[in-house]
Amino acid sequence: MSHPANTPRPPYYAVIFTSLRTEGDKGYGDMADLMVALASKQPGFLGLESAREDGLGITVSYWESLEAIKAWKDHVDHREAQAKGRSDWYRKYVTRICKVERDYSFE
Amino acid sequence: MSHPANTPRPPYYAVIFTSLRTEGDKGYGDMADLMVALASKQPGFLGLESAREDGLGITVSYWESLEAIKAWKDHVDHREAQAKGRSDWYRKYVTRICKVERDYSFE
């Protein structure tokens, strides 16, 4: 996952999830790995990028459509993780749903 | 900067810049600090979030309009930094220009 995601030509969608963790792991690491594995198998999933530094985490997932994003948001295992996120793992988070209109890359 | 950005109600715009660094600093740290300070003063700038982990860096900047994004892209000091980025600092990067259509938060 430590590479820029290999997404198709725009338009496609991005979910930017920015978070501040609470102290301690409390099962977060295992669940995060599980959610990445599960998200990757959802219809319309295009890729994922994630980094955390000085407490601030940024995870960007890429999707074919808003419908794919909604289906993943409503996935029963994901909903369970979201509830645990609010009760145990996150002090604060912001989720932003975006349409990627243009991209360019260098290599 | 280690907080989720305090953005207004959508719609607004996001630039997701995902990168892999080359080895060594080569003046990168100082220039990165300078570019954040300079971006923050541009018209239409709304906020910035940044994290790097295991070599993968994600910087998301938020803007009022596509015009504001273009003006910052074309800023002379920023153009100089972009050139240096391609010659010295980055092995690979992807820039994605997005329209934020919806957001929600937890605190």
Side-chain angles (χ1 to χ4, degrees):
Chain A
M1 286 295 174
S2 59
H3 276 275
N6 191 16
T7 42
R9 290 168 66 94
Y12 53 90
Y13 290 84
V15 179
I16 308 171
F17 178 76
T18 310
S19 66
L20 293 178
R21 285 287 320 279
T22 54
E23 296 296 311
D25 186 70
K26 293 174 285 195
Y28 170 79
D30 287 347
M31 182 65 101
D33 291 348
L34 195 65
M35 284 305 114
V36 169
L38 195 58
S40 309
K41 285 186 220 151
Q42 298 312 301
F45 175 87
L46 298 175
L48 186 139
E49 298 161 346
S50 195
R52 183 172 297 276
E53 183 179 2
D54 296 338
L56 183 77
I58 306 175
T59 298
V60 189
S61 57
Y62 299 101
W63 302 86
E64 274 174 15
S65 66
L66 291 174
E67 292 68 32
I69 291 170
K70 180 157 181 18
W72 169 234
K73 188 188 179 198
D74 292 341
H75 188 292
V76 59
D77 295 346
H78 189 201
R79 288 184 74 92
E80 200 175 307
Q82 290 166 42
K84 195 99 169 143
R86 287 186 292 269
S87 65
D88 289 18
W89 297 321
Y90 296 119
R91 206 145 57 75
K92 182 173 183 172
Y93 65 68
V94 182
T95 305
R96 294 178 174 97
I97 315 291
C98 316
K99 183 176 190 179
V100 181
E101 300 190 339
R102 218 161 64 242
D103 62 15
Y104 47 92
S105 60
F106 162 78
E107 184 157 11
Chain B
M1 286 297 174
S2 58
H3 276 275
N6 191 15
T7 42
R9 293 166 66 95
Y12 52 91
Y13 289 84
V15 179
I16 307 171
F17 178 75
T18 310
S19 67
L20 293 177
R21 285 288 319 281
T22 54
E23 296 296 311
D25 185 71
K26 293 175 284 194
Y28 170 79
D30 287 347
M31 183 65 102
D33 291 347
L34 194 66
M35 284 304 115
V36 168
L38 196 58
S40 310
K41 285 186 220 153
Q42 298 311 300
F45 175 87
L46 298 175
L48 186 140
E49 297 162 346
S50 195
R52 183 172 297 278
E53 184 178 0
D54 297 337
L56 184 77
I58 306 174
T59 298
V60 189
S61 57
Y62 299 101
W63 301 87
E64 275 175 15
S65 66
L66 291 173
E67 292 69 31
I69 292 170
K70 180 155 178 23
W72 169 235
K73 189 188 180 198
D74 293 341
H75 188 292
V76 60
D77 296 344
H78 189 202
R79 288 184 74 90
E80 202 176 304
Q82 290 165 41
K84 194 99 168 142
R86 287 185 292 270
S87 66
D88 289 18
W89 296 322
Y90 297 118
R91 207 146 57 76
K92 181 172 185 172
Y93 65 68
V94 182
T95 304
R96 294 177 172 97
I97 315 290
C98 316
K99 182 176 190 178
V100 181
E101 301 190 338
R102 219 162 61 242
D103 61 15
Y104 46 92
S105 60
F106 162 79
E107 182 156 13

